[in-house]
Amino acid sequence: MSINVIKLASPVHNKKNVEESLKFFSDFLINEFDAKFVDECKENEFTVVWNMTGGTEGIFKKIYKNLRQPIIVLTTDLINSLPAALEILSFIKSQNGKGYIIHGDLREIACEIKKYYKFFTALKKIKEAKIASIGGASEWLIASSIDYIQASKKWGTSFIDIPIDELYNILKNCHGSYDGYFDRAIEVVEPSNEDIRGVHLIYLALKKIIEERKLDAISLKCFDLLKRVNNSSCLALSRLNDEGIIAGCEGDLPATFTMYLVLALTQKKSFMANPSKIDFNKNTIIFAHCTVPTTLVKQYKLRSHFESGIGVGIAGEFEKETVTVVKIGGKNLDKIFVTTGRIISNPTNDQRCRTQIEVEMDNDVREFLKNPIGNHMVIVRGNIKKELNEFMEYVGF
Protein backbone atom coordinates (compact mmCIF):
# COMPACT_ATOMS: atom_id res chain seq x y z
CA MET A 1 0.00 0.00 0.00
CA SER A 2 1.07 3.57 -0.62
CA ILE A 3 -0.08 6.68 1.24
CA ASN A 4 0.36 10.41 0.78
CA VAL A 5 1.44 12.52 3.75
CA ILE A 6 1.04 16.28 4.11
CA LYS A 7 3.48 17.64 6.70
CA LEU A 8 2.50 20.49 9.00
CA ALA A 9 5.23 22.20 11.06
CA SER A 10 5.32 25.63 12.66
CA PRO A 11 7.99 28.01 11.29
CA VAL A 12 8.71 29.00 14.89
CA HIS A 13 10.66 25.78 15.29
CA ASN A 14 14.06 25.17 13.73
CA LYS A 15 13.23 23.07 10.65
CA LYS A 16 16.43 21.02 10.81
CA ASN A 17 15.91 20.17 14.48
CA VAL A 18 12.32 19.13 13.83
CA GLU A 19 13.32 16.88 10.93
CA GLU A 20 16.10 15.26 12.96
CA SER A 21 13.89 14.74 16.01
CA LEU A 22 11.16 13.12 13.92
CA LYS A 23 13.34 11.17 11.50
CA PHE A 24 12.29 7.93 13.21
CA PHE A 25 8.67 8.72 12.32
CA SER A 26 9.45 9.67 8.72
CA ASP A 27 11.39 6.43 8.31
CA PHE A 28 8.50 4.50 9.84
CA LEU A 29 6.01 6.00 7.35
CA ILE A 30 8.31 5.36 4.39
CA ASN A 31 9.21 1.79 5.35
CA GLU A 32 5.77 0.72 6.53
CA PHE A 33 3.57 2.49 3.99
CA ASP A 34 5.76 3.61 1.09
CA ALA A 35 4.82 7.15 2.12
CA LYS A 36 5.12 10.02 -0.31
CA PHE A 37 5.33 13.50 1.18
CA VAL A 38 3.09 15.87 -0.79
CA ASP A 39 1.78 19.43 -0.62
CA GLU A 40 -1.85 18.78 -1.50
CA CYS A 41 -4.60 16.22 -1.29
CA LYS A 42 -5.22 14.27 -4.50
CA GLU A 43 -8.70 13.06 -5.39
CA ASN A 44 -8.25 9.31 -5.63
CA GLU A 45 -5.28 8.81 -3.32
CA PHE A 46 -5.28 8.13 0.41
CA THR A 47 -3.84 11.16 2.18
CA VAL A 48 -3.14 11.88 5.84
CA VAL A 49 -2.03 15.07 7.58
CA TRP A 50 1.03 14.67 9.79
CA ASN A 51 0.90 17.33 12.49
CA MET A 52 4.60 17.47 13.35
CA THR A 53 4.66 20.33 15.88
CA GLY A 54 2.56 22.71 17.89
CA GLY A 55 1.53 26.05 16.43
CA THR A 56 0.19 24.54 13.19
CA GLU A 57 -3.46 25.42 13.66
CA GLY A 58 -3.39 28.48 11.42
CA ILE A 59 -1.55 26.58 8.68
CA PHE A 60 -4.16 23.82 8.83
CA LYS A 61 -7.01 26.33 8.63
CA LYS A 62 -5.65 27.66 5.33
CA ILE A 63 -5.60 24.21 3.69
CA TYR A 64 -8.75 22.83 5.31
CA LYS A 65 -11.09 23.35 2.35
CA ASN A 66 -8.73 21.47 0.04
CA LEU A 67 -8.65 18.32 2.18
CA ARG A 68 -10.86 15.27 1.59
CA GLN A 69 -13.01 14.26 4.53
CA PRO A 70 -12.85 12.54 6.85
CA ILE A 71 -9.45 14.08 7.61
CA ILE A 72 -6.90 11.76 9.23
CA VAL A 73 -4.43 13.62 11.50
CA LEU A 74 -1.23 11.82 12.56
CA THR A 75 0.48 12.86 15.79
CA THR A 76 3.49 11.97 17.88
CA ASP A 77 4.23 12.59 21.58
CA LEU A 78 6.88 15.22 20.75
CA ILE A 79 7.06 18.99 20.02
CA ASN A 80 3.42 19.64 21.08
CA SER A 81 2.07 17.61 18.19
CA LEU A 82 -0.92 16.20 20.09
CA PRO A 83 -2.29 19.40 21.68
CA ALA A 84 -2.21 21.20 18.32
CA ALA A 85 -4.01 18.24 16.74
CA LEU A 86 -6.74 18.44 19.38
CA GLU A 87 -7.30 22.09 18.46
CA ILE A 88 -7.36 21.12 14.78
CA LEU A 89 -9.95 18.39 15.34
CA SER A 90 -12.08 20.81 17.35
CA PHE A 91 -11.93 23.22 14.40
CA ILE A 92 -12.92 20.48 11.94
CA LYS A 93 -15.98 19.66 14.04
CA SER A 94 -16.89 23.33 14.39
CA GLN A 95 -17.09 23.41 10.58
CA ASN A 96 -19.41 20.38 10.62
CA GLY A 97 -16.56 18.37 9.20
CA LYS A 98 -15.28 14.95 10.12
CA GLY A 99 -11.83 13.91 11.26
CA TYR A 100 -9.81 11.47 13.32
CA ILE A 101 -6.62 11.78 15.36
CA ILE A 102 -4.18 8.88 15.24
CA HIS A 103 -1.91 8.70 18.30
CA GLY A 104 0.01 6.01 20.19
CA ASP A 105 3.04 3.82 19.71
CA LEU A 106 4.19 2.91 16.21
CA ARG A 107 2.37 -0.42 16.23
CA GLU A 108 -0.90 1.24 17.21
CA ILE A 109 -0.43 3.99 14.67
CA ALA A 110 0.27 1.43 11.93
CA CYS A 111 -2.93 -0.45 12.78
CA GLU A 112 -5.01 2.73 12.66
CA ILE A 113 -3.54 3.90 9.36
CA LYS A 114 -4.22 0.47 7.82
CA LYS A 115 -7.80 0.58 9.10
CA TYR A 116 -8.53 3.98 7.57
CA TYR A 117 -6.76 3.01 4.35
CA LYS A 118 -9.03 -0.03 4.18
CA PHE A 119 -12.10 2.18 4.75
CA PHE A 120 -10.93 4.63 2.07
CA THR A 121 -10.39 1.81 -0.43
CA ALA A 122 -13.75 0.19 0.32
CA LEU A 123 -15.63 3.47 -0.02
CA LYS A 124 -13.83 4.17 -3.30
CA LYS A 125 -15.02 0.80 -4.64
CA ILE A 126 -18.56 1.52 -3.49
CA LYS A 127 -18.52 4.97 -5.09
CA GLU A 128 -17.32 3.53 -8.40
CA ALA A 129 -19.70 0.54 -8.37
CA LYS A 130 -22.42 0.00 -10.95
CA ILE A 131 -25.31 -2.10 -9.65
CA ALA A 132 -28.18 -3.22 -11.88
CA SER A 133 -31.70 -4.31 -11.13
CA ILE A 134 -32.68 -6.85 -13.79
CA GLY A 135 -36.46 -6.86 -14.06
CA GLY A 136 -37.11 -4.67 -11.02
CA ALA A 137 -38.18 -5.73 -7.54
CA SER A 138 -40.54 -8.61 -6.85
CA GLU A 139 -44.10 -7.50 -6.19
CA TRP A 140 -43.96 -8.47 -2.51
CA LEU A 141 -40.99 -6.23 -1.75
CA ILE A 142 -43.23 -3.24 -1.03
CA ALA A 143 -40.75 -1.64 1.40
CA SER A 144 -37.49 -2.48 -0.35
CA SER A 145 -37.36 -0.06 -3.29
CA ILE A 146 -34.78 2.71 -3.23
CA ASP A 147 -34.52 6.25 -4.57
CA TYR A 148 -31.67 5.88 -7.07
CA ILE A 149 -30.80 9.58 -7.03
CA GLN A 150 -30.69 9.98 -3.26
CA ALA A 151 -28.95 6.64 -2.68
CA SER A 152 -26.36 7.62 -5.28
CA LYS A 153 -25.83 10.97 -3.54
CA LYS A 154 -25.28 9.11 -0.28
CA TRP A 155 -22.88 6.48 -1.60
CA GLY A 156 -21.77 7.52 -5.09
CA THR A 157 -22.94 4.15 -6.46
CA SER A 158 -24.65 4.04 -9.86
CA PHE A 159 -27.96 2.16 -9.90
CA ILE A 160 -29.52 1.19 -13.23
CA ASP A 161 -32.53 -0.78 -14.45
CA ILE A 162 -32.21 -3.48 -17.09
CA PRO A 163 -35.40 -4.95 -18.62
CA ILE A 164 -35.67 -8.66 -17.97
CA ASP A 165 -36.38 -9.16 -21.67
CA GLU A 166 -32.71 -8.44 -22.26
CA LEU A 167 -31.94 -11.60 -20.31
CA TYR A 168 -34.56 -13.62 -22.19
CA ASN A 169 -33.25 -12.46 -25.56
CA ILE A 170 -29.72 -13.56 -24.66
CA LEU A 171 -31.03 -16.88 -23.34
CA LYS A 172 -32.68 -17.64 -26.69
CA ASN A 173 -29.28 -17.64 -28.36
CA CYS A 174 -27.31 -19.04 -25.46
CA HIS A 175 -25.62 -22.37 -26.08
CA GLY A 176 -23.06 -24.44 -24.26
CA SER A 177 -22.71 -27.69 -22.40
CA TYR A 178 -22.75 -27.80 -18.60
CA ASP A 179 -19.19 -27.71 -17.25
CA GLY A 180 -19.81 -29.71 -14.07
CA TYR A 181 -19.31 -26.79 -11.64
CA PHE A 182 -21.85 -28.14 -9.15
CA ASP A 183 -20.73 -31.76 -9.34
CA ARG A 184 -19.34 -31.29 -5.82
CA ALA A 185 -22.90 -31.65 -4.50
CA ILE A 186 -23.14 -34.63 -2.15
CA GLU A 187 -26.58 -35.47 -3.54
CA VAL A 188 -28.97 -34.41 -6.30
CA VAL A 189 -32.53 -34.94 -5.04
CA GLU A 190 -35.25 -33.53 -7.33
CA PRO A 191 -33.47 -31.76 -10.24
CA SER A 192 -32.79 -33.45 -13.56
CA ASN A 193 -29.64 -33.06 -15.63
CA GLU A 194 -31.67 -30.87 -18.00
CA ASP A 195 -32.66 -28.59 -15.09
CA ILE A 196 -29.00 -28.15 -14.14
CA ARG A 197 -27.96 -27.51 -17.74
CA GLY A 198 -30.76 -24.93 -18.05
CA VAL A 199 -29.52 -23.03 -14.99
CA HIS A 200 -26.01 -23.10 -16.46
CA LEU A 201 -27.36 -21.25 -19.51
CA ILE A 202 -28.98 -18.68 -17.20
CA TYR A 203 -25.57 -18.23 -15.57
CA LEU A 204 -23.92 -17.71 -18.97
CA ALA A 205 -26.59 -15.18 -19.99
CA LEU A 206 -26.24 -13.22 -16.76
CA LYS A 207 -22.45 -13.27 -17.09
CA LYS A 208 -22.79 -11.85 -20.62
CA ILE A 209 -24.94 -8.96 -19.35
CA ILE A 210 -22.52 -8.29 -16.49
CA GLU A 211 -19.52 -8.19 -18.81
CA GLU A 212 -21.15 -6.17 -21.58
CA ARG A 213 -22.67 -3.64 -19.16
CA LYS A 214 -19.53 -3.58 -16.96
CA LEU A 215 -21.56 -4.29 -13.82
CA ASP A 216 -20.20 -4.86 -10.33
CA ALA A 217 -23.39 -6.40 -8.90
CA ILE A 218 -26.87 -7.42 -10.00
CA SER A 219 -30.22 -8.07 -8.41
CA LEU A 220 -32.52 -10.34 -10.41
CA LYS A 221 -36.32 -10.57 -10.32
CA CYS A 222 -35.76 -14.30 -10.27
CA PHE A 223 -39.32 -15.56 -9.74
CA ASP A 224 -40.26 -14.36 -13.24
CA LEU A 225 -37.97 -17.02 -14.70
CA LEU A 226 -40.03 -19.81 -13.15
CA LYS A 227 -42.89 -19.22 -15.60
CA ARG A 228 -40.90 -17.96 -18.58
CA VAL A 229 -38.17 -20.63 -18.73
CA ASN A 230 -39.54 -23.23 -16.27
CA ASN A 231 -36.39 -22.99 -14.18
CA SER A 232 -34.91 -21.06 -11.27
CA SER A 233 -31.78 -18.91 -11.14
CA CYS A 234 -30.54 -20.09 -7.73
CA LEU A 235 -27.47 -21.93 -9.04
CA ALA A 236 -26.59 -19.08 -11.39
CA LEU A 237 -26.68 -16.52 -8.59
CA SER A 238 -24.74 -18.83 -6.28
CA ARG A 239 -21.96 -19.28 -8.83
CA LEU A 240 -21.71 -15.56 -9.57
CA ASN A 241 -21.29 -14.92 -5.83
CA ASP A 242 -18.68 -17.67 -5.67
CA GLU A 243 -16.80 -15.77 -8.37
CA GLY A 244 -16.95 -12.51 -6.40
CA ILE A 245 -19.75 -10.95 -8.48
CA ILE A 246 -22.50 -9.99 -6.06
CA ALA A 247 -25.85 -11.34 -7.25
CA GLY A 248 -28.99 -10.88 -5.18
CA CYS A 249 -32.41 -12.52 -5.37
CA GLU A 250 -35.92 -11.19 -5.98
CA GLY A 251 -34.79 -7.76 -7.17
CA ASP A 252 -33.93 -6.74 -3.59
CA LEU A 253 -31.49 -3.88 -4.19
CA PRO A 254 -30.93 -2.97 -0.50
CA ALA A 255 -29.88 -6.55 0.28
CA THR A 256 -27.71 -6.67 -2.84
CA PHE A 257 -26.07 -3.36 -1.92
CA THR A 258 -25.42 -4.70 1.58
CA MET A 259 -23.73 -7.77 0.12
CA TYR A 260 -21.59 -5.58 -2.13
CA LEU A 261 -20.58 -3.28 0.73
CA VAL A 262 -19.60 -6.28 2.88
CA LEU A 263 -17.45 -7.66 0.05
CA ALA A 264 -15.81 -4.27 -0.64
CA LEU A 265 -14.99 -3.77 3.04
CA THR A 266 -14.07 -7.26 4.24
CA GLN A 267 -13.60 -9.38 1.07
CA LYS A 268 -16.20 -11.73 2.59
CA LYS A 269 -19.04 -13.29 0.61
CA SER A 270 -22.45 -13.47 2.24
CA PHE A 271 -25.77 -15.30 2.36
CA MET A 272 -29.00 -13.41 1.65
CA ALA A 273 -31.87 -15.05 3.52
CA ASN A 274 -35.32 -14.72 5.06
CA PRO A 275 -35.80 -14.76 8.84
CA SER A 276 -38.24 -17.69 8.81
CA LYS A 277 -38.75 -18.59 12.46
CA ILE A 278 -38.09 -16.80 15.75
CA ASP A 279 -37.86 -18.78 19.00
CA PHE A 280 -38.17 -16.38 21.91
CA ASN A 281 -37.23 -18.96 24.54
CA LYS A 282 -34.02 -19.99 22.80
CA ASN A 283 -33.38 -16.47 21.42
CA THR A 284 -32.80 -17.97 17.98
CA ILE A 285 -33.77 -17.17 14.42
CA ILE A 286 -33.88 -19.60 11.52
CA PHE A 287 -32.71 -17.93 8.30
CA ALA A 288 -33.50 -19.68 5.04
CA HIS A 289 -33.14 -19.25 1.26
CA CYS A 290 -32.72 -21.43 -1.80
CA THR A 291 -29.42 -19.98 -2.94
CA VAL A 292 -26.12 -19.65 -1.12
CA PRO A 293 -22.55 -19.25 -2.39
CA THR A 294 -21.18 -22.80 -2.28
CA THR A 295 -17.85 -21.45 -1.03
CA LEU A 296 -19.59 -20.52 2.24
CA VAL A 297 -20.79 -24.02 3.13
CA LYS A 298 -18.96 -27.22 3.98
CA GLN A 299 -21.25 -29.34 1.79
CA TYR A 300 -24.49 -29.03 -0.14
CA LYS A 301 -27.25 -30.89 -1.93
CA LEU A 302 -29.07 -29.84 -5.10
CA ARG A 303 -32.80 -29.60 -4.45
CA SER A 304 -35.74 -28.07 -6.29
CA HIS A 305 -36.68 -24.44 -5.74
CA PHE A 306 -38.81 -24.42 -2.56
CA GLU A 307 -41.91 -22.38 -3.47
CA SER A 308 -42.35 -23.70 -7.00
CA GLY A 309 -40.92 -27.19 -6.71
CA ILE A 310 -39.17 -26.75 -10.06
CA GLY A 311 -35.67 -25.81 -11.16
CA VAL A 312 -32.68 -26.13 -8.88
CA GLY A 313 -32.07 -24.78 -5.38
CA ILE A 314 -29.21 -25.34 -2.96
CA ALA A 315 -29.46 -26.97 0.46
CA GLY A 316 -26.17 -25.94 2.04
CA GLU A 317 -24.75 -26.92 5.42
CA PHE A 318 -22.82 -24.26 7.33
CA GLU A 319 -20.19 -24.78 9.97
CA LYS A 320 -21.33 -23.98 13.51
CA GLU A 321 -19.63 -20.63 13.84
CA THR A 322 -20.03 -16.95 14.69
CA VAL A 323 -21.88 -14.86 12.11
CA THR A 324 -22.84 -11.24 11.60
CA VAL A 325 -26.38 -10.37 10.53
CA VAL A 326 -26.61 -7.06 8.70
CA LYS A 327 -28.89 -5.05 6.42
CA ILE A 328 -28.58 -1.57 4.95
CA GLY A 329 -31.97 -0.25 3.93
CA GLY A 330 -34.32 2.67 3.66
CA LYS A 331 -35.23 4.47 0.43
CA ASN A 332 -31.93 6.35 0.54
CA LEU A 333 -29.89 3.41 1.86
CA ASP A 334 -29.35 5.41 5.03
CA LYS A 335 -30.42 2.90 7.69
CA ILE A 336 -28.49 -0.03 9.09
CA PHE A 337 -29.21 -3.00 11.30
CA VAL A 338 -26.30 -5.12 12.50
CA THR A 339 -25.93 -7.76 15.19
CA THR A 340 -24.06 -11.00 15.79
CA GLY A 341 -24.85 -14.57 16.71
CA ARG A 342 -23.73 -18.17 16.38
CA ILE A 343 -25.01 -20.92 14.08
CA ILE A 344 -26.15 -23.79 16.30
CA SER A 345 -27.83 -26.05 13.73
CA ASN A 346 -28.70 -26.57 10.06
CA PRO A 347 -32.41 -27.48 10.01
CA THR A 348 -33.89 -29.41 7.08
CA ASN A 349 -37.61 -28.58 7.25
CA ASP A 350 -39.21 -29.11 3.82
CA GLN A 351 -41.63 -26.26 4.49
CA ARG A 352 -38.85 -23.66 4.30
CA CYS A 353 -36.33 -22.59 1.69
CA ARG A 354 -33.57 -25.11 1.13
CA THR A 355 -30.52 -23.68 2.94
CA GLN A 356 -31.48 -23.20 6.61
CA ILE A 357 -29.41 -22.04 9.57
CA GLU A 358 -30.53 -21.63 13.17
CA VAL A 359 -28.68 -18.71 14.74
CA GLU A 360 -28.53 -18.03 18.47
CA MET A 361 -28.55 -14.24 18.54
CA ASP A 362 -26.48 -12.00 20.82
CA ASN A 363 -29.25 -9.36 20.86
CA ASP A 364 -32.85 -9.90 21.93
CA VAL A 365 -34.63 -11.48 18.94
CA ARG A 366 -37.65 -9.26 19.59
CA GLU A 367 -35.70 -6.42 17.98
CA PHE A 368 -36.32 -8.08 14.62
CA LEU A 369 -40.06 -7.60 15.05
CA LYS A 370 -39.92 -3.97 16.22
CA ASN A 371 -38.09 -2.12 13.44
CA PRO A 372 -37.48 -4.46 10.49
CA ILE A 373 -35.57 -3.38 7.38
CA GLY A 374 -37.40 -5.49 4.83
CA ASN A 375 -37.77 -9.26 4.70
CA HIS A 376 -34.19 -10.22 3.76
CA MET A 377 -31.10 -10.14 5.93
CA VAL A 378 -27.47 -10.69 4.96
CA ILE A 379 -25.47 -13.32 6.87
CA VAL A 380 -21.67 -13.00 6.99
CA ARG A 381 -19.29 -15.56 8.50
CA GLY A 382 -17.33 -14.19 11.46
CA ASN A 383 -17.84 -11.15 13.69
CA ILE A 384 -17.52 -7.99 11.58
CA LYS A 385 -19.91 -5.86 13.66
CA LYS A 386 -17.23 -3.53 15.06
CA GLU A 387 -15.63 -3.07 11.66
CA LEU A 388 -19.00 -2.35 10.05
CA ASN A 389 -19.97 0.17 12.72
CA GLU A 390 -16.63 1.99 12.44
CA PHE A 391 -16.91 2.05 8.65
CA MET A 392 -20.44 3.41 8.77
CA GLU A 393 -19.27 6.17 11.12
CA TYR A 394 -16.40 6.87 8.69
CA VAL A 395 -18.85 7.38 5.82
CA GLY A 396 -21.09 9.63 7.89
CA PHE A 397 -23.82 7.48 9.46
Side-chain angles (χ1 to χ4, degrees):
M1 68 186 273
S2 178
I3 69 172
N4 291 342
V5 180
I6 297 174
K7 291 181 176 181
L8 296 186
S10 170
V12 172
H13 295 276
N14 181 283
K15 183 178 180 180
K16 183 179 179 180
N17 290 343
V18 170
E19 294 286 352
E20 287 179 355
S21 298
L22 297 175
K23 185 178 184 303
F24 78 97
F25 201 77
S26 292
D27 291 344
F28 157 71
L29 293 174
I30 293 169
N31 295 331
E32 187 78 18
F33 301 106
D34 188 25
K36 296 176 177 59
F37 299 103
V38 299
D39 296 323
E40 61 183 6
C41 185
K42 296 183 179 180
E43 181 59 32
N44 290 313
E45 297 179 9
F46 181 72
T47 304
V48 299
V49 176
W50 177 14
N51 192 64
M52 302 172 73
T53 74
T56 55
E57 295 89 340
I59 301 171
F60 177 85
K61 186 176 180 180
K62 289 178 182 178
I63 67 170
Y64 171 70
K65 290 185 178 179
N66 297 321
L67 298 175
R68 185 191 306 105
Q69 298 205 21
I71 300 167
I72 311 299
V73 183
L74 299 182
T75 65
T76 70
D77 55 4
L78 302 174
I79 324 178
N80 283 328
S81 169
L82 179 58
L86 293 171
E87 184 73 16
I88 285 170
L89 183 58
S90 297
F91 169 78
I92 293 170
K93 293 189 173 183
S94 75
Q95 303 300 304
N96 295 317
K98 192 166 189 62
Y100 297 94
I101 291 175
I102 295 181
H103 187 75
D105 62 36
L106 295 185
R107 181 188 58 81
E108 292 166 334
I109 289 173
C111 288
E112 288 293 287
I113 291 175
K114 288 174 183 176
K115 177 179 75 175
Y116 290 118
Y117 180 88
K118 184 178 184 181
F119 289 175
F120 172 84
T121 303
L123 185 56
K124 185 172 180 288
K125 286 181 181 177
I126 293 166
K127 286 180 178 179
E128 295 173 351
K130 188 177 180 183
I131 300 178
S133 171
I134 302 178
S138 295
E139 289 74 13
W140 48 87
L141 295 182
I142 59 176
S144 297
S145 61
I146 66 170
D147 183 321
Y148 287 7
I149 295 175
Q150 293 303 317
S152 184
K153 283 182 180 178
K154 177 72 181 173
W155 292 99
T157 310
S158 297
F159 298 95
I160 66 168
D161 289 319
I162 296 177
I164 201 163
D165 282 343
E166 185 170 325
L167 174 62
Y168 296 141
N169 290 335
I170 294 174
L171 266 176
K172 289 176 186 176
N173 301 302
C174 201
H175 305 285
S177 57
Y178 171 55
D179 61 1
Y181 182 82
F182 292 97
D183 287 354
R184 294 166 295 164
I186 61 171
E187 185 180 0
V188 179
V189 184
E190 297 91 353
S192 66
N193 290 336
E194 189 59 28
D195 290 331
I196 297 171
R197 180 182 178 276
V199 182
H200 181 65
L201 296 180
I202 295 171
Y203 158 76
L204 293 177
L206 288 171
K207 195 76 177 286
K208 185 176 177 63
I209 291 175
I210 290 164
E211 290 172 352
E212 289 183 347
R213 295 274 199 151
K214 296 181 172 58
L215 303 174
D216 297 286
I218 62 166
S219 184
L220 176 64
K221 193 179 182 185
C222 47
F223 273 72
D224 284 16
L225 274 68
L226 298 172
K227 293 180 180 178
R228 290 286 292 268
V229 300
N230 197 39
N231 211 329
S232 65
S233 61
C234 303
L235 287 192
L237 300 179
S238 170
R239 183 167 178 174
L240 289 170
N241 280 299
D242 277 345
E243 294 173 356
I245 302 168
I246 293 301
C249 312
E250 301 176 37
D252 189 333
L253 274 177
T256 302
F257 178 80
T258 304
M259 294 167 72
Y260 185 80
L261 182 146
V262 166
L263 183 68
L265 178 62
T266 68
Q267 290 72 59
K268 287 177 178 281
K269 297 158 191 173
S270 51
F271 172 42
M272 171 182 167
N274 296 313
S276 297
K277 177 186 177 182
I278 295 177
D279 188 317
F280 299 109
N281 292 322
K282 294 168 63 179
N283 205 53
T284 62
I285 300 177
I286 293 177
F287 296 94
H289 233 212
C290 284
T291 186
V292 64
T294 61
T295 50
L296 290 186
V297 295
K298 60 180 181 179
Q299 61 184 28
Y300 62 92
K301 298 177 182 179
L302 297 186
R303 299 288 311 273
S304 60
H305 176 255
F306 162 59
E307 287 92 343
S308 65
I310 64 175
V312 194
I314 301 175
E317 183 180 346
F318 277 77
E319 296 282 1
K320 294 178 181 178
E321 60 185 334
T322 298
V323 293
T324 302
V325 181
V326 59
K327 178 72 173 291
I328 297 167
K331 288 189 71 66
N332 303 336
L333 294 179
D334 57 358
K335 302 180 186 302
I336 183 171
F337 176 92
V338 58
T339 187
T340 53
R342 180 172 177 80
I343 298 173
I344 60 172
S345 72
N346 290 266
T348 56
N349 190 315
D350 276 343
Q351 298 306 310
R352 299 191 190 102
C353 294
R354 302 308 189 186
T355 296
Q356 303 170 29
I357 53 173
E358 183 180 18
V359 181
E360 184 178 47
M361 305 304 299
D362 292 331
N363 287 32
D364 189 337
V365 292
R366 289 173 176 79
E367 292 181 18
F368 274 80
L369 301 180
K370 292 178 181 177
N371 294 294
I373 305 182
N375 74 331
H376 292 123
M377 299 301 292
V378 173
I379 318 298
V380 189
R381 293 171 62 184
N383 185 344
I384 62 166
K385 180 178 178 180
K386 181 175 183 289
E387 186 173 15
L388 275 171
N389 283 336
E390 288 185 346
F391 178 69
M392 300 308 278
E393 181 190 1
Y394 176 87
V395 300
F397 267 60

